[in-house]
Amino acid sequence: MPLTFRVIFGDSQKMLELADGSVHLVVTSPPYFNAPFDYPNLFPSYEAYLAAMRKVAEEIWRVLADGRIVCIV
Ligand SMILES: C[S@@+](CC[C@H](N)C(=O)[O-])C[C@H]1O[C@@H](n2cnc3c(N)ncnc32)[C@H](O)[C@@H]1O
């Protein structure tokens, strides 16, 4: 079975390109709230940061196939 790769530059809070249950492995390193020097003004508050991470987690849950794996740094 041939392997194919697709690179998508997008927002992981809304991965419209990916169907429900279509992903078998997620490896992700989201931004850190306590590293504002890396991402100045990306998150206006800790609550906003948590809300963004929750959206990402919900999207990962949606696209992941049953019983598959997520690795989060
Ligand atoms: C801690 S860094 C991880 C860097 C990555 N491991 C690498 O080697 O390039 C977090 C990354 O998440 C990206 N990012 C921030 N918000 C995002 C979002 N909503 N969707 C996708 N990527 C996002 C940032 O631009 C940054 O590149």
Side-chain angles (χ1 to χ4, degrees):
M1 183 179 181
L3 279 177
T4 58
F5 297 90
R6 188 161 55 126
V7 178
I8 301 167
F9 292 89
D11 184 350
S12 57
Q13 296 178 61
K14 211 169 189 184
M15 298 185 278
L16 300 175
E17 304 85 354
L18 301 179
D20 295 1
S22 63
V23 172
H24 288 238
L25 175 64
V26 172
V27 179
T28 181
S29 173
Y32 316 117
F33 182 71
N34 61 352
F37 34 86
D38 284 341
Y39 315 104
N41 306 316
L42 184 58
F43 303 108
S45 67
Y46 187 56
E47 288 69 28
Y49 171 76
L50 291 180
M53 293 303 104
R54 179 175 293 279
K55 281 188 189 170
V56 172
E58 288 170 355
E59 269 298 83
I60 290 172
W61 181 257
R62 179 185 69 77
V63 303
L64 205 65
D66 285 348
R68 296 309 181 182
I69 293 174
V70 183
C71 306
I72 300 178
V73 176

